[in-house]
């Protein structure tokens, strides 16, 4: 049976075009037999840049569809350079994307894909609308703080990698609820979209293994200790599919010194060669 | 004008099949538009393994031709596990390969190709029969010792990466001379084939930049210092085409902790996925 097409959702402003190119390059090299369709939700990326990005993806045999989203809809949301407005768009994917799409995998642009994504794509969602990983095991304290802060019972999920059952999400996600939540809780949001996601939809989310699907690249030692020494570099290179460069120390910054910096910079170069 | 096919020469025993698969995987990913023909000189690789290796290369769109070489011809050469007999075969490439091949690039199996090889392939050889790099700048003392030991005037070349002008080499390389040299100097050879190469053909060799074409991966700090701080990780990832894992600390050994270990192990995984 032929594999179904993988639909990917991304959302960023023009500052993230290059990191995104690194993501898609790493994704294609590590998933060479997949048919990829990328949906980009954005507000301000100029047409010229979009055209170039379409050609770029096309040179990697991936299709790109850009959807312009009216910035005004989140005009009351707390934003900053590190947390631009585009981060909210993923929450509305179910309402924005064509009804014909039943499932989509959201990916942050500060990641590197180093193994096949198909096992994540095919995780049975059952009653859940989402699947995501929690960084609880490597950032224990914050997860507890976040739970108390938001008054939620389940683990605090990282919203950087999310498999979305769009059929379920179309039933359950109410844009009004999201907008109201943004307006009302402006002052206590630390990681705005992620807090909203956890507060509103955490209980609808199936947990997946962060060491495989959303490895927080800042916390090598914590993963190693947590796994009793198993999750060393060999293990990560064999098993981890997505390295997530959370936090401020982004590996594409020249000032960055990072355990996975050599690998990331090699993919930057592979990505640059396609331009 | 279409590019000419790249002929590559390799020579190893069956212990090096997996490292070679990592080499060819990295080479193809970083040279996606090249037509590659690999010539393997060997003695003892079983037919089953050769067939698998042919299929492996074919799945990467590379052609492999294996040439069986009579082990007896080098029966008097000093060999060991680390320096198997196959290391001598490259010296006879001009005499073994079909006359129709005019140029070939020899590659050791303990390397990683991380950028395009075409600029090396197209280096004008002029009067020279070979092009190779010297690790003089990063292993100064050894180069001096080697020069004195072998009584040569030019820099001591590393024979792990060699571009060979086969037309010139067919004129200049005399198998008898190589065999006599092996017999006579058995006791003073430290790196057997490399010493012979330098002693007999060093003066016929054009020097190329080792930081680009034969980066000794043990010596990051030396390259950095030698370049006045320029050759940092960003520079290497952009400019270095071949990382050479010289010495005993091979990055595929699980005991290895290596600056480029994450990158190497990622390519091991990419290579394993093709099997």
């Amino acid at each position: 049976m032929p594999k179904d097409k993988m639909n990917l959702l991304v959302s960023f402003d023009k500052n993230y075009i290059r990191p995104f190119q690194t993501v898609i390059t790493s994704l294609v090299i590590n998933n060479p037999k997949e048919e990829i369709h990328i949906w980009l939700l954005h507000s301000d990326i100029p047409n010229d840049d979009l055209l170039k990005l379409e050609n770029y993806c096309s040179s990697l045999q991936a299709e790109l569809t850009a959807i312009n989203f009216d910035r005004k809809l989140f005009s009351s949301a707390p934003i900053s350079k590190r947390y631009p407005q585009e981060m909210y768009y993923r929450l509305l994917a179910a309402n924005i994307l064509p009804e014909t799409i039943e499932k989509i995998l959201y990916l942050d642009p500060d990641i590197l894909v180093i193994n096949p994504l198909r096992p994540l794509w095919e995780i049975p969602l059952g009653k859940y609308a989402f699947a995501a990983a929690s960084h609880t095991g490597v950032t224990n304290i914050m997860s507890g703080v976040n739970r108390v802060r938001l008054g939620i019972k389940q683990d605090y999920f990282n919203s950087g990698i999310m498999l979305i059952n769009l059929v379920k999400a179309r039933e359950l996600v109410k844009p009004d609820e999201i907008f109201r939540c943004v307006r009302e809780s402006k002052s206590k949001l630390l990681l705005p979209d992620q807090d909203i996601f956890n507060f509103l939809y955490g209980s609808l989310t199936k947990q997946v293994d962060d060491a495989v699907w959303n490895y927080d690249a800042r916390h090598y030692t914590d993963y190693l200790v947590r796994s009793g020494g198993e999750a060393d570099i060999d293990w990560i290179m064999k098993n981890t599919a997505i390295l997530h460069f959370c936090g401020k120390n982004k590996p594409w910054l020249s000032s960055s010194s990072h355990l996975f910096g050599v690998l990331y910079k090699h993919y930057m170069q592979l990505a640059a060669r396609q331009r």
Side-chain angles (χ1 to χ4, degrees), chain A residues 48-64:
Chain A
D48 272 11
D49 290 329
L50 285 177
L51 197 63
K52 277 185 208 155
L53 200 52
E54 253 175 64
N55 290 335
Y56 185 91
C57 292
S58 162
S59 78
L60 292 167
Q61 265 78 53
E63 194 179 346
L64 178 82

Side-chain angles (χ1 to χ4, degrees), chain A residues 4 54 142 166 177 241 244:
Chain A
D4 59 333
E54 253 175 64
M142 277 312 289
L166 290 169
E177 203 171 38
H244 191 177

Side-chain angles (χ1 to χ4, degrees), chain A residues 13-254:
Chain A
D13 62 19
K14 70 182 196 309
N15 296 317
Y16 264 88
I17 289 177
R18 295 213 158 185
F20 165 71
Q21 290 175 335
T22 304
V23 174
I24 188 67
T25 298
S26 70
L27 193 153
V28 167
I29 286 177
N30 288 278
N31 293 267
K33 285 168 190 160
E34 298 292 351
E35 191 187 346
I36 305 285
H37 191 149
I38 302 150
W39 299 82
L40 164 61
L41 302 185
H42 76 104
S43 288
D44 287 338
I45 302 181
N47 274 334
D48 272 11
D49 290 329
L50 285 177
L51 197 63
K52 277 185 208 155
L53 200 52
E54 253 175 64
N55 290 335
Y56 185 91
C57 292
S58 162
S59 78
L60 292 167
Q61 265 78 53
E63 194 179 346
L64 178 82
T65 303
I67 299 179
N68 197 298
F69 186 84
D70 188 351
R71 190 168 278 282
K72 285 195 209 89
L73 282 168
F74 276 113
S75 56
S76 66
I79 59 164
S80 69
K81 199 175 167 195
R82 190 160 158 221
Y83 301 116
Q85 198 181 306
E86 281 74 2
M87 68 194 309
Y88 294 96
Y89 299 176
R90 77 193 85 174
L91 299 175
L92 293 172
N95 308 87
I96 297 172
L97 294 172
E99 292 272 344
T100 48
I101 308 182
E102 298 186 349
K103 185 163 68 168
I104 202 156
L105 177 61
Y106 170 82
L107 299 173
D108 262 358
D110 58 350
I111 64 165
L112 204 58
V113 177
I114 60 170
N115 269 308
L117 294 177
R118 180 139 294 264
L120 175 60
W121 179 252
E122 291 183 348
I123 276 177
L125 284 168
K127 62 180 180 175
Y128 294 105
F130 304 91
S134 160
H135 290 150
T136 313
V138 290
T139 51
N140 252 317
I141 296 165
M142 277 312 289
S143 189
V145 170
N146 284 326
R147 269 210 293 254
V148 171
R149 183 169 57 85
L150 299 174
I152 55 175
K153 285 177 186 154
Q154 70 285 349
D155 270 340
Y156 183 81
F157 291 107
N158 179 282
S159 63
I161 313 291
M162 286 198 298
L163 185 66
I164 311 175
N165 176 345
L166 290 169
V167 179
K168 281 264 178 230
R170 281 183 193 112
E171 289 169 22
L172 300 166
V173 173
K174 303 280 170 268
D176 285 349
E177 203 171 38
I178 295 169
F179 294 129
R180 198 183 63 240
C181 187
V182 167
R183 278 195 308 274
E184 287 176 4
S185 45
K186 193 166 173 172
S187 62
K188 59 174 178 173
L189 297 178
L190 297 177
L191 298 164
D193 77 299
Q194 188 162 289
D195 279 0
I196 289 171
F197 173 73
N198 275 277
F199 182 70
L200 292 176
Y201 310 118
S203 62
L204 309 175
T205 301
K206 179 172 185 164
Q207 185 149 347
V208 298
D209 185 355
D210 62 324
V212 177
W213 302 116
N214 189 343
Y215 182 100
D216 187 336
R218 293 171 297 187
H219 294 297
Y220 174 73
T221 310
D222 296 313
Y223 283 106
L224 190 66
V225 171
R226 185 179 94 177
S227 65
E230 194 192 356
D232 60 5
I233 293 294
D234 291 289
W235 188 94
I236 297 166
M237 291 301 113
K238 275 198 191 116
N239 295 285
T240 298
I242 302 176
L243 291 174
H244 191 177
F245 297 94
C246 306
K248 283 184 189 169
N249 182 23
K250 299 302 188 196
W252 57 84
L253 302 174
S254 59

